[in-house]
């Protein structure tokens, strides 16, 4: 296994938790904003109705105070919404990096399987050839060499990507 893969998995689990939390928090804040906007719209409609003379001062004052609280809350939420969007963007970028590493590690695993396949095949052909150099053996030795070279290149890239993401 590539050094750092366990750390990569540990970081990926943390990233997924952060992404989930940010998404849920954002939905919750958006729900609050939507509820506030709906209530504000209802209050505005009510206040446009005209005659407030029959209304006691208490409810009107309460509505005006709520509008001020909502205004302040919306301003605060907007600031956090921007921050949440930035956090979400960073989390998405990191997630793409992790996916790139995962794809490279899968390629490495596939290359390792190909190398193992040709290793077994060459071993079998060598035992059948009794020291001779058959054309089939030579072809498979060339394929084994190619598979080994590919594995080495892919493994090197995989290790580099893991090191970049984990650091």
């Amino acid at each position: 296994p590539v050094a750092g893969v366990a750390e990569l998995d540990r970081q990926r689990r943390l990233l997924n938790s952060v992404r989930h939390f940010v998404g849920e928090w954002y939905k919750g804040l958006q729900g609050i904003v939507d509820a506030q906007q709906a209530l504000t719209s209802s209050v505005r409609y009510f206040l446009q109705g005209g005659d407030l003379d029959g209304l006691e001062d208490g409810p009107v004052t309460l509505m005006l105070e709520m509008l001020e609280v909502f205004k302040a809350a919306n301003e605060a939420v907007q600031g956090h919404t921007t921050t949440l969007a930035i956090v979400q963007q960073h989390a998405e970028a990191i997630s793409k990096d992790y996916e790139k590493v995962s794809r490279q590690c899968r390629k490495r695993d596939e290359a390792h399987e190909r190398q193992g396949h040709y290793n077994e095949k060459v071993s079998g052909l060598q035992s059948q050839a009794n020291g001779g150099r058959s054309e089939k053996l030579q072809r498979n030795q060339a394929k084994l060499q190619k598979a080994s070279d590919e594995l080495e290149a892919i493994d090197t890239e995989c290790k580099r990507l893991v090191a970049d993401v984990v650091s």
Side-chain angles (χ1 to χ4, degrees), residues 102-119:
S102 292
R103 281 192 307 271
Q104 190 67 21
C105 288
R106 283 191 298 273
K107 284 182 182 179
R108 183 212 48 224
D109 294 344
E110 292 166 1
H112 190 267
E113 287 178 21
R114 272 192 306 279
Q115 182 197 40
H117 167 76
Y118 285 113
N119 217 0

Side-chain angles (χ1 to χ4, degrees), residues 118 122 125 133-150:
Y118 285 113
V122 165
L125 289 171
R133 303 275 301 167
S134 75
E135 186 178 314
K136 188 173 185 179
L137 174 60
Q138 289 175 348
R139 274 196 325 269
N140 280 282
Q141 285 174 326
K143 289 178 183 179
L144 173 59
Q145 184 60 49
K146 181 180 177 188
S148 296
D149 292 345
E150 286 176 358

Side-chain angles (χ1 to χ4, degrees), residues 11-68:
Q11 288 182 16
R12 181 181 294 164
R13 282 193 294 275
L14 176 62
L15 174 69
N16 287 338
S17 294
V18 169
R19 287 176 65 199
H20 176 75
F21 173 77
V22 168
E24 292 300 312
W25 192 23
Y26 182 79
K27 281 193 269 184
L29 288 176
Q30 192 58 50
I32 291 169
V33 168
D34 292 347
Q36 289 174 348
Q37 288 173 344
L39 183 57
T40 300
S41 177
S42 295
V43 169
R44 283 195 181 117
Y45 176 78
F46 175 77
L47 292 176
Q48 290 173 353
D51 187 16
L52 300 178
D53 291 338
L55 213 57
E56 293 182 26
D57 285 341
V60 171
T61 302
L62 178 63
M63 284 188 289
L64 293 174
E65 287 174 357
M66 282 189 331
L67 290 176
E68 287 302 313

